[in-house]
Structure formats: C-alpha cells, structure tokens
C-alpha cells in the first residue's frame, strides 16, 4: 500500500525540504558540477594532495562533522508519522483545538525509544520505553512526552542526573551497555526508595515489549485540562494499543539482541511498509479540581498511578502511524520534544518532576542540536505560522524582514502583537499558590510501597514468577553483596514472598522485621493477561524441506492471511522448495538468516522427506525447541506431529500445541491454530 496517500499538512510542509538525488548530477554544496569524486587532486600521479582541492576539502569536512551528540537518555529511538483524530468534542473539559472536532485529522510524529542504551545499542533490552508524540496542531505544537510505564523512579527532577548516572554504564569501565543489571543502579534504588513502584514495572514483562505496536503509553504526570470557561480538571494521558499489550520472554529478548538488535524498529518499519498501520487510542483519566485530596495518593506524585477502577480511562481519540520517515537523521534524530510545548486548554501542575522537566528539555536541545534555532529544523516546525522578535543565532534560516525586532514598538504598529485569550492567546491557569521557600518534599509523597504492592497483587502467577526471575537476574549481576541485601530488605516492604523468593535465588536473608505493605487491592488493568488478544500482524514461521505437504501449508497460510497474520517459509537454502507432488513455494528465510525468536508461532507441515531432513538438521530442531520453550504456538500436520512428540511437545490445544493427524479435521485445525496464535503465549507450559 502506498504511504503517499497518507499525506497531510505536515508532509506537505516537509516536501519543501525533501531532496531526491536520483537522476541528478553530482555537484559541490555550492552547486558546481563535479567531474570526479574518486581521486583527490595531486601534484603528480604519485604526489601529495593539493590544498586547493576544494572538492576534497568540502567532502571531507562535511563528513568529519556528520555526528551530533546523542540524547543523554533515550538515545536509541525510532519514529514514524501519522495522524490523530478525536472521537467526540472534548469542550466540557478542554478548549484544546485538536480535541474539538472529530472531522479534523491532526498530523503527528511519534518517537519510541529505550532509555539507558546508547544509539547503537539493541532494542529488546530490559528498560522503560519512551513514547513521545508531537501533535502539529493549528494552535502550535503539542508534545506528549511519555513512557510505556505510568510512573517514574523519582519524585523530584533535581534527582534526575543522579538516577541517570546510576543507571547508565558505570563510568570507570563503561559497562554494562543498555542494562540496569549492575551495582550503581541497584545501589541508587536501595537508597532512593521512592523508586520501588517503578522498579516493580521495570522488573515485569512491561519492560520487554513484543513490539512498539503492542505497548501502552502514559503521560505519567498529572496535567491540567482547562475549558473555555476557565474550569480545570486534573488529567492523566494514556495510549492504548489496538493490538493489546504483549511482551517477550526474557530468554527470547536476550537472544533477539544478538539475532536482530533492530527487532523493534524493523517491526515498526515493516508493519508500516506493509500497510498494517499501528493504532493507539488516546485515553484520559479526569479528576475534578475539588477532588484533589479525595484519594489516598497525592495527584502530584509521579510515582503514583490512578487505579483505573477508581478513575476510569475515558477513550477520546485514535492515532494511526501510517508513514515511515524518509531520513532517520533529519527526522528521528533531529526531532526535539518538550513537555512544555503545550496548547491552550492544556496546562501543568506542580508535580516537582514535571516542573524540572520544563527546564531540561530546551536546555538539552541547545547542546544537542547546536543552538536556539532548532525549532526551524523541518521536523520541528509547527504547521501554523510563527512570529516573534527572536533573532539570529547559529543556523538561523528565517529571513525576518524590516528593522523592528522588539516589543513594544510604534514603527510596526506594535506587531507581532500578543493575542487575547479569546483570540487564542495562551493563558496560564490561575492556580492560587502560596507557601514558604523550602527544600523538601510534601509528606503526602512518603508512601513508597502501597502502589508497588498494588502492582504485585495485580499480577498473575506467571507474571509474578517473571518478576522474581528478573530480580534474580539483575541482582545476580550485582557484585556488592551489601547492595543486594539492601534491595532485598527494601522489597520486603512490598511483599515478603517476593523478597523471600528473590533472596532464595541469591543466597540472602529476608529481614525478620520487614513490615510489608498491607495493601490488599489489585487492579485488573495492570495485568497483561487481561489484554486484547488478536492474531492480527502475528508472524508464523513454516519449516519445510523438499517433499513437504503443500496443500496443508497452502491452507494454513490462507487461514493466517484471512486472520491478518503473516507466514514466512523457512528452509535450509534459498530459492524454491518442492512439495511432495512437485508444487513449489518460494523460500523467505533460511535457518541461517532467521531464528525462532523472530516469530510468534511455528508450523511444521508433514511430508516424510521434509520431516526427515528437518529432524536431522540441528538448527531446525533447536528452532522448534526454542519456540516451544518461549511458550509460542507450535503446530504440525501428519508426519510433523510425530516429530513434535519425539521432541516432547505434547499435542494439547490448551498448551498451544496444535496438530492435524487426519485430513478430515482440516477446518478445525486451521481455526485452532489461529486461535492459539491469538493467545500470544501458552503459559500452561510454565506452570
Ligand atoms: Fe525525559 C528525553 C520521557 C523525566 C530530561 N524523556 C526523554 C524522552 C522521553 C522522555 C520519551 C525522549 C524524547 C525523544 O524521543 O526525543 N522523561 C520522560 C518521562 C519522564 C522523564 C516519561 C518522567 C515522567 N526527563 C525526565 C526528567 C528530566 C528529563 C525528570 C530532567 C529533569 N528527558 C530529559 C532530557 C531528554 C529526555 C535530558 C534527553 C533528550 C531530550 O530530552 O530531548 O532533557
């Protein structure tokens, strides 16, 4: 499907800056046609290069300056264009223009990222994921700069440099890359216990998403919606993926980082190229201003979520990502997000983490993008006009006409002139603030453990086991026994079963006076077991060799395609593979070019020769065993079923092992395979 049909006002604007070199003559940056770009100008064929070789100098100098500093956090990211539409008029709550008219499509640019790793690190690491959305609205750019975890490690922005120093590779040896499994991170956690809640999320499956298309996004902070009448609501933002929330398993994630370090970006890129556009619904939780103190958490505390059972998520719109970037550096790398980019109708609260972010993001772009004119970079330009008296600076592109660049003036009728609120001028919400200057935190931020326990209570047994193993893995990599013990002591305040199991794996003790949280509530929305289940966009690997059962393979592919899933033919060599009756199929991947971790399910068609070859191919057998070990749907027909049972994969629909022994059960088989694929994983095998 052509992405050209998804053009919008932002794309039209970007068109002015796009350059297509195909069919063009090579020139210098000054437009001079170049006669040769393979040989530098020399004094004699074997002589030295001449200083006057302007083409060499320009080419080399530009290359020498190609890199810019990577982001201090969220360095590794990938982005796409799309659009957002609101489902219903939101004027009761906010006057934000892009949330009024369901017929209006607002262009968006969304960048997903990991937090800790550098730009060249791998995708499937254990980490929070960034989820940043730039809405190019008619009232200016609005940025929702969130994560896939609804809470944060710290409560005050002044601690952010400490957190990041502890999380990033240790400075003396720059290890480990893109991982929190090391001493300084866990030392920080144990000594900054407000992090307990987010650590629970980071140790859960949420931190190893199956796809950017299958994770939630959260604005994290409490913001304010303000309507035309000046009435305000506290608001939290959610992105809910239409494909549900799904994760990898840890062993699979680690393998993926070697087999395909670009797994998540490839997944996003390919799904957009294939026209399977990722969709997310925008949800809001709203609390009336007068209910600010009604809850047992402080609405300003970014380490707390609002349980959906207490404050339901109202779904208000939908975002579709339908266009890949043309150039990753120009767009994904140069995009500059900022939680302070707001539009009328959206305002801040006094969340001390948010307040500090409002400073940090412009500051970081100044060094990263080289000066104060980064708003002029094409990807950052609003689609509405912008005018002010700011001038000059590195890389200024706008040519401002006339002598006046100050306010107030009479020479230019006092223009550009501020707008009244009625005319769209931004007016800050008139919150009453008073107090003494203090450097401390409100007592209402003191409860570090109740919501960590709420999260734990909400997990299924399988999810709990994953969390225990994640703690064991991470702390198992920590060298300081003292730090490990401190962490076990800390999480004993969440749940002594959790800390006991972790301690058991690490040879540590749970303190006798732990006094764990007494929180008994749970929230269904927090467990991934309750998410949307669909076969759409799932990828199935079909293992075949010459002599395979063509008809059953063909039918399974059809059933998968009908359900919106995809299949790839995997064999020992590229080219065509022959079916038992001479029919041919093109091979997509070989056992060398792919791996089971790249698929959601595996199918093994029958055909004696094909199965004999697969059985004697170590790579193919490992392929099957790994897929089964990662709880994926495994299916087979005829002779394939025998190989599965030889490998200990017992035929059981409940366990996601779907087999077809006789052709009479055909229809049932294909439907059962697709149904099993919908379940994402078959945890019965774990219990
Ligand atoms: Fe941040 C980048 C999300 C707290 C300082 N942050 C950055 C990005 C995301 C977040 C998604 C990548 C943006 C992109 O794709 O370009 N950050 C969060 C969330 C936070 C948070 C959800 C807590 C609720 N951040 C936070 C604090 C500070 C920063 C408390 C500092 C006071 N964040 C930055 C930064 C970055 C950044 C240093 C690095 C690159 C950039 O801004 O553009 O300014």
């Amino acid at each position: 499907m052509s992405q050209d049909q998804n053009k919008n006002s932002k794309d039209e604007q970007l068109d002015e800056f796009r350059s297509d070199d195909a069919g063009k003559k090579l020139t210098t940056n000054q437009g001079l046609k170049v006669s040769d770009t393979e040989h530098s100008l020399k004094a004699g064929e074997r002589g030295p290069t001449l200083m006057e070789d302007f083409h060499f100098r320009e080419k080399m100098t530009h290359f020498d300056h190609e890199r810019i500093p990577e982001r201090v956090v969220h360095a590794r990211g990938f982005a796409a264009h799309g659009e957002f539409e609101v489902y219903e008029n939101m004027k009761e709550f906010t006057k934000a223009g892009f949330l009024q008219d369901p017929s209006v499509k607002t262009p968006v640019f969304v960048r997903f990222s990991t937090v800790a790793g550098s730009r060249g690190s791998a995708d499937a690491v254990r980490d929070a994921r960034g989820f940043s959305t730039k809405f190019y609205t008619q009232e200016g750019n609005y940025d929702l700069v969130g994560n896939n975890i609804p809470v944060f490690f710290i409560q005050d922005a002044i601690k952010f440099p400490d957190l990041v120093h502890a999380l990033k590779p240790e400075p003396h040896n720059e290890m480990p890359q893109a991982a929190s499994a090391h001493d300084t991170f866990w030392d920080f956690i144990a000594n900054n216990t407000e992090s307990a809640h987010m650590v629970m999320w980071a140790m859960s499956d949420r931190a190893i998403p199956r796809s950017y298309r299958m994770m939630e996004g959260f604005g994290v902070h409490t913001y304010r919606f303000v309507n035309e009448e000046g009435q305000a609501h506290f608001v939290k933002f959610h992105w809910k993926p239409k494909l549900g929330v799904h994760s990898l398993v840890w062993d699979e994630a680690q393998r993926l980082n070697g087999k395909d370090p670009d797994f998540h970006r490839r997944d996003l890129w390919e799904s957009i190229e294939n026209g399977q556009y990722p969709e997310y619904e925008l949800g809001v939780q709203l609390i009336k201003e007068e209910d600010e103190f009604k809850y047992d958490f402080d609405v300003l505390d970014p380490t707390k979520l609002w349980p959906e059972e207490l404050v339901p998520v109202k779904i208000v719109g939908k975002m579709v990502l339908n266009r890949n970037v043309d150039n990753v550096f120009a767009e994904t790398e140069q995009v500059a997000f900022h939680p302070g980019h707001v539009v009328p109708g959206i305002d801040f609260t006094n969340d001390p983490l948010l307040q500090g972010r409002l400073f940090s993001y412009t500051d970081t772009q100044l060094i990263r993008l080289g000066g104060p004119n980064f708003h002029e970079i094409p990807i950052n330009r609003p689609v509405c006009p912008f005018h002010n008296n700011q001038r000059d600076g590195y890389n200024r592109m706008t040519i401002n006409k006339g002598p006046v660049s100050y306010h107030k003036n009479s020479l230019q009728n006092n223009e550009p002139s501020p707008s009244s609120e009625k005319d769209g001028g931004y007016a800050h919400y008139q919150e009453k603030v008073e107090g003494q200057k203090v450097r401390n935190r409100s007592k209402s931020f003191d409860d570090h453990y109740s919501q960590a326990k709420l999260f734990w209570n909400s997990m299924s047994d399988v999810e709990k086991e994953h969390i225990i193993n994640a703690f064991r893995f991470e702390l198992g990599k920590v060298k300081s026994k003292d730090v490990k013990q401190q962490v076990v002591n800390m999480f004993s305040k969440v749940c002594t079963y959790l800390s006991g199991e972790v301690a058991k794996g690490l040879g540590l003790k749970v303190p006798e006076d732990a006094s764990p949280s007494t929180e008994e509530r749970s929230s269904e929305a927090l467990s991934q077991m309750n998410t949307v289940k669909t076969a759409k966009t799932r990828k199935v690997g079909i293992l075949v060799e010459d002599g395979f059962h063509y008809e059953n393979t063909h039918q399974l592919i059809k059933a998968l395609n009908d359900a919106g899933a995809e299949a790839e033919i995997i064999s020992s060599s590229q080219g065509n593979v022959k079916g038992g009756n001479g029919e041919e199929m093109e091979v997509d991947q070989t056992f060398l070019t792919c791996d089971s971790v790249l698929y959601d399910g595996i199918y093994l068609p029958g055909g004696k020769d094909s199965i004999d070859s697969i059985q004697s191919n170590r790579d193919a057998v490992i392929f099957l065993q790994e897929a089964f070990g990662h709880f994926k749907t495994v299916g087979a027909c005829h002779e394939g079923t025998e190989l599965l049972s030889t490998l200990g994969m017992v035929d059981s629909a409940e366990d996601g092992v779907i087999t077809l022994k006789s052709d009479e059960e055909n229809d049932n088989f294909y439907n059962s395979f697709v149904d099993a694929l919908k379940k994402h994983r078959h945890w019965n095998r774990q219990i």
Side-chain angles (χ1 to χ4, degrees):
M1 197 185 294
S2 165
Q3 292 164 46
D4 284 345
Q5 68 195 36
N6 304 323
K7 281 191 173 283
N8 54 37
S9 53
K10 184 63 192 177
D11 277 308
E12 278 160 23
Q13 186 194 53
L14 290 177
D15 257 347
E16 289 172 38
F17 301 94
R18 288 184 175 122
S19 169
D20 189 351
D21 297 330
K24 307 288 174 4
K25 293 289 182 198
L26 187 77
T27 72
T28 63
N29 285 334
Q30 307 307 316
L32 176 72
K33 282 185 185 156
V34 167
S35 56
D36 178 333
T37 193
E38 292 176 90
H39 305 93
S40 46
L41 188 70
K42 299 180 204 75
E45 270 188 358
R46 301 181 62 248
T49 301
L50 296 177
M51 186 72 140
E52 74 173 67
D53 187 351
F54 52 81
H55 175 47
F56 167 81
R57 288 201 324 268
E58 183 195 88
K59 186 174 173 183
M60 199 50 67
T61 304
H62 198 280
F63 170 75
D64 290 340
H65 294 255
E66 268 175 18
R67 290 288 168 272
I68 62 170
E70 65 173 35
R71 289 166 172 82
V72 59
V73 283
H74 297 267
R76 183 173 177 79
F78 207 63
H81 295 273
E83 49 200 27
F84 170 80
E85 62 191 81
V86 69
Y87 288 149
E88 57 185 279
N89 185 303
M90 292 290 292
K91 76 172 191 214
E92 182 186 348
F93 305 107
T94 174
K95 60 182 173 185
F98 76 107
L99 295 176
Q100 306 300 314
D101 182 352
S103 71
V104 169
K105 291 200 165 155
T106 302
V108 295
F109 188 64
V110 178
R111 183 174 181 271
F112 301 105
S113 49
T114 55
V115 181
S118 58
R119 234 191 119 194
S121 57
D123 281 349
V125 296
R126 177 173 295 284
D127 200 351
R129 297 298 185 285
F131 192 139
S132 306
T133 309
K134 194 179 278 294
F135 298 81
Y136 300 97
T137 87
Q138 291 304 321
E139 297 174 302
N141 290 347
Y142 169 56
D143 292 355
L144 183 54
V145 194
N147 279 343
N148 74 330
I149 293 182
V151 290
F152 204 62
F153 285 118
I154 47 170
Q155 295 168 323
D156 189 320
I158 200 169
K159 297 178 74 162
F160 191 67
D162 300 295
L163 164 71
V164 176
H165 286 174
L167 168 66
K168 283 271 185 176
E170 298 188 10
H172 60 302
N173 58 14
E174 269 227 335
M175 291 193 273
Q177 178 56 243
S180 51
H182 60 109
D183 286 54
T184 54
F185 175 72
W186 286 101
D187 187 30
F188 179 88
I189 296 306
N191 289 285
N192 297 272
T193 54
E194 70 213 63
S195 60
H197 188 191
M198 178 149 175
V199 170
M200 294 296 293
W201 284 77
M203 292 305 108
S204 80
D205 295 345
R206 298 278 182 151
I208 39 173
R210 156 68 180 80
S211 161
Y212 289 140
R213 303 176 293 123
M214 298 173 199
M215 63 181 205
E216 284 178 298
F218 303 92
V220 181
H221 306 288
T222 300
Y223 289 90
R224 260 197 183 89
F225 263 170
V226 186
N227 67 14
E228 205 67 65
E229 290 74 46
Q231 288 159 341
H233 278 80
F234 293 110
V235 58
K236 275 198 192 281
F237 294 103
H238 295 244
W239 288 116
K240 303 248 180 207
K242 292 276 256 188
L243 296 174
V245 185
H246 303 284
S247 292
L248 302 167
V249 292
W250 182 228
D251 178 67
E252 178 190 22
Q254 288 176 289
R255 280 169 207 269
L256 265 173
N257 288 335
K259 293 287 179 183
D260 186 5
D262 303 316
F263 181 66
H264 284 145
R265 59 170 62 182
R266 194 184 307 286
D267 169 275
L268 185 67
W269 173 271
E270 285 181 353
S271 65
I272 295 175
E273 290 295 299
N274 295 339
Q276 294 167 332
Y277 301 139
E279 293 185 355
Y280 308 80
E281 286 190 306
L282 181 70
V284 290
Q285 285 179 296
L286 297 160
I287 291 183
K288 289 185 186 151
E289 284 275 320
E290 59 263 34
D291 291 342
E292 181 172 0
F293 301 107
K294 193 176 142 188
Y295 299 92
D296 62 354
F297 48 81
D298 191 326
V299 295
L300 300 184
D301 178 354
T303 67
K304 303 295 188 300
L305 51 78
W306 301 351
E308 293 187 22
E309 290 73 16
L310 289 183
V311 188
V313 177
K314 180 179 166 63
I315 299 296
V316 300
K318 186 175 81 170
M319 175 167 78
V320 182
L321 301 182
N322 57 15
R323 196 175 170 82
N324 277 318
V325 297
D326 288 296
N327 184 289
V328 172
F329 180 83
E331 299 170 72
T332 311
E333 195 59 15
Q334 293 200 108
V335 66
F337 290 96
H338 192 328
H341 293 163
V342 285
V343 288
I346 301 181
D347 207 329
F348 315 117
T349 61
N350 298 329
D351 169 348
L353 193 72
L354 173 59
Q355 292 283 319
R357 287 181 80 192
L358 297 178
F359 166 74
S360 181
Y361 286 71
T362 313
D363 195 36
T364 208
Q365 314 307 351
L366 290 174
I367 179 78
R368 202 170 72 75
L369 299 171
N373 290 316
F374 58 85
H375 62 283
E376 294 190 83
I377 297 173
I379 193 67
N380 294 324
R381 285 171 181 253
V383 291
C384 61
F386 56 100
H387 296 279
N388 55 47
N389 294 315
Q390 292 157 32
R391 292 291 186 273
D392 308 347
Y394 284 114
N395 307 316
R396 182 70 174 181
M397 279 168 254
T398 308
I399 302 170
N400 298 97
K401 297 205 298 192
V404 173
S405 55
Y406 52 88
H407 183 84
K408 300 172 174 173
N409 68 67
S410 65
L411 292 177
Q412 200 173 261
N413 300 324
N414 211 17
E415 286 163 351
S417 51
S419 302
S420 67
E421 195 181 339
K422 211 167 139 274
D423 229 8
Y426 188 88
H428 293 264
Y429 179 67
Q430 294 195 2
E431 182 186 4
K432 186 170 181 215
V433 201
E434 60 186 348
Q436 275 162 323
K437 275 190 212 163
V438 286
R439 255 193 209 281
N440 61 21
R441 211 168 302 167
S442 166
K443 286 257 167 284
S444 55
F445 281 41
D446 278 356
D447 174 5
H448 299 165
Y449 297 109
S450 298
Q451 288 209 349
K453 179 75 185 318
L454 174 87
F455 183 75
W456 175 253
N457 294 345
S458 311
M459 296 291 102
S460 64
D461 287 348
V462 168
E463 289 169 308
K464 283 182 175 165
E465 197 176 323
H466 292 173
I467 293 173
I468 291 165
N469 282 335
F471 269 106
R472 283 180 175 176
F473 175 93
E474 296 260 324
L475 294 173
K477 299 271 180 183
V478 168
K479 293 189 199 76
S480 163
K481 209 171 165 188
D482 184 42
V483 167
K484 292 195 232 210
Q485 186 63 58
Q486 288 179 52
V487 177
V488 167
N489 296 353
M490 171 176 165
F491 284 88
S492 298
K493 296 204 168 68
V494 177
C495 169
T496 46
Y497 171 74
L498 163 67
S499 62
E501 288 300 296
V502 175
K504 230 191 274 174
L506 298 168
L508 300 167
K509 284 206 172 75
V510 176
E512 278 162 18
D513 58 345
S515 57
S517 162
T518 53
E519 177 61 71
E520 282 177 359
R521 285 172 295 185
S522 60
S523 167
E524 270 188 25
L526 303 183
S527 168
Q528 290 176 237
M529 295 294 158
N530 307 320
T531 192
V532 174
K533 310 260 168 36
T534 168
K536 271 191 198 147
T537 79
R538 295 296 177 152
K539 215 164 154 185
V540 173
I542 303 184
L543 312 192
V544 291
E545 296 291 0
D546 282 345
F548 74 101
H549 198 306
Y550 179 88
E551 189 48 33
N552 287 137
T553 308
H554 180 72
Q555 285 202 36
L556 185 87
I557 294 174
K558 186 175 174 308
L560 288 172
N561 292 345
D562 287 349
E566 281 174 61
E568 281 194 346
I569 300 291
I570 303 161
S571 192
S572 51
S573 43
Q574 290 185 341
N576 281 359
V577 62
K578 271 205 178 79
N581 297 329
E583 317 89 331
E584 297 201 350
M585 258 188 201
E586 195 178 340
V587 173
D588 297 301
Q589 299 286 348
T590 69
F591 292 109
L592 281 179
T593 61
C594 73
D595 194 273
S596 79
V597 293
L598 303 172
Y599 298 94
D600 297 293
I602 306 292
Y603 174 57
L604 195 59
K608 184 165 179 337
D609 290 351
S610 174
I611 294 298
D612 285 350
S613 309
I614 286 172
Q615 190 158 10
S616 58
N617 179 346
R618 193 174 159 269
D619 288 341
V621 170
I622 293 177
F623 205 103
L624 279 166
Q625 286 170 326
E626 262 184 20
F628 182 79
H630 295 148
F631 313 98
K632 294 176 181 174
T633 300
V634 179
C637 76
H638 304 296
E639 293 87 344
T641 61
E642 290 156 30
L643 176 53
L644 288 194
S645 67
T646 312
L647 296 175
M649 301 175 200
V650 182
D651 169 9
S652 145
E654 265 202 358
D655 291 353
V657 180
I658 317 291
T659 58
L660 172 69
K661 288 176 187 139
S662 119
D663 278 334
E664 281 148 33
E665 299 156 19
N666 254 348
D667 282 353
N668 214 3
F669 168 73
Y670 301 115
N671 293 338
S672 307
F673 189 90
V674 170
D675 285 346
L677 194 64
K678 284 182 191 166
K679 293 191 179 144
H680 178 62
R681 299 296 157 103
H682 303 279
W683 302 116
N684 280 353
R685 292 180 207 157
Q686 181 167 339
I687 297 164

